[in-house]
Amino acid sequence: MIYFDNAATTLHKPACVMEAVLSAMQQLGNAGRGVHEASLDAARIIYDTRMRLAELFGAESPEQVAFTANSTESLNIAIQGIFEPGDHVITTQMEHNSVLRPLYFMESKGVKLTILPADSSGNISLAELEAAIRPDTRAVVCTHASNLTGNANDLSAVGEICKKHGILLIADASQTAGVLPIDMQEMHVDVVCFTGHKSLLGPQGTGGICVRKGLKIRPLLMGGSGVQSYRKVHPEEMPTALEAGTLNSHGIAGLHAALGYLKEQGMERLRAQELALMWQFYDGVSAINRVRILGDFTDRSRLRAPIVSLNIGAYDSGEVADELAEHYGILTRSGAHCAPLMHEAFGTADQGAVRFSFSHSNTREEVESAIRAVRELAEEAGI
């Protein structure tokens, strides 16, 4: 089996992550729900993970990091918890449904929405973004990198525009956390939403939201917090304000180990390995007749997520993915990728696309096998 579906979830986790989860299941109690060692041990690992995440994302303090189950939950917290009827919000065609659907929901409640178009390469225009800002604009909500094309937005440039106009920037870092550098303070990002199970190499069911100090967000959930139990309202202090109920301390322990692994290995070094594999694959398949690649690969110095999505002639993407899996043992992701507006922009709404997404756990030999498989399928498509 050759696994090229890392943009959905990284399958091959470091051994230390699995060991940490098992140890946590054997030893950790419920953080904030007691003063015995099992509870305190859980609280310690959770706080230390907050510290590691705050360092990774340039958050102002560990308390500004709240844990969620995934970036979808984080984005719903931000979008439903910040905007009010009458607010104007700018987003892009590059977005995943975890951004679009909460925004459509808020639009039904009276929020006004502008969606910036993507060009033929899948990029948005910063000039068009700035031109879309109005007196009632509250925020820009955008992905750091597309889960379909791998194209990355320049968060620093977007952040400068938002700062200039006094509006918020909410970033979806689902595809970039653990791959591309993010510094909330330097980039003027007010909210970062992330998941732990992709390039952060943690377990599924982990994620979080980093919030700039002073920005108040209505909680999506309310309930047990372990503190202020006699109040009728949920605590307002971060991170408890956005965390209700028992945290996934077992998963967070795995994420803690994953963050340690990333720091030890060096995120830049791992990114270089992944991009080298991606470019090897791109160079191989881009020369094949009847292969169409989605996205912008014109500038090799530009940071991007390690993703290549393609189609072979008029073949349905699901059929191609099935052939790759059944006859070559190559696992990919086909279809719409929860990115409907990007597929509409590319004219691939009916066909979908086959996405190859790379991890440093992949090898050059696996990439060569994938290139050969695509070449053979393309040759068959031409018969």
Side-chain angles (χ1 to χ4, degrees), residues 2 7 19 39 53 85 98 146 154 157-158 197 240 336 340 342 347:
I2 300 175
E19 292 165 2
S39 176
L53 289 165
S98 55
S146 166
D154 185 342
V158 177
H197 69 96
T240 313
M342 282 299 290

Side-chain angles (χ1 to χ4, degrees), residues 149-162:
T149 65
N151 292 4
N153 287 316
D154 185 342
L155 276 191
S156 292
V158 177
E160 286 291 343
I161 292 171
C162 291

Side-chain angles (χ1 to χ4, degrees), residues 7 17 29 36 47 55 65 93 111 167 182 187 208 241 262 276 293 308-309 323 359 362 369:
V17 173
H36 51 77
Y47 185 76
E55 178 183 2
V65 180
Q93 279 192 316
V111 170
I167 62 177
I182 299 172
M187 296 177 170
L262 286 172
I293 296 175
V308 178
S309 293
E323 287 288 322
S359 168
N362 292 124
S369 295

Side-chain angles (χ1 to χ4, degrees), residues 178-237:
V179 176
L180 302 186
I182 299 172
D183 190 306
M184 294 180 67
Q185 297 179 73
E186 287 187 5
M187 296 177 170
H188 309 294
V189 182
D190 297 281
V191 180
V192 170
C193 300
F194 66 93
T195 195
H197 69 96
K198 298 188 181 187
S199 291
L200 285 180
L201 304 176
Q204 295 179 4
T206 62
I209 180 170
C210 302
V211 182
R212 174 181 54 77
K213 279 188 177 180
L215 177 58
K216 296 295 184 181
I217 301 179
R218 294 185 301 274
L220 190 65
L221 301 173
M222 292 168 277
S225 59
V227 296
Q228 303 177 17
S229 295
Y230 290 95
R231 295 187 66 199
K232 293 184 177 181
V233 296
H234 197 74
E236 297 178 353
E237 298 78 17

Side-chain angles (χ1 to χ4, degrees), residues 124-132 161:
I124 61 165
S125 163
L126 292 178
E128 289 182 6
L129 186 153
E130 187 162 17
I161 292 171

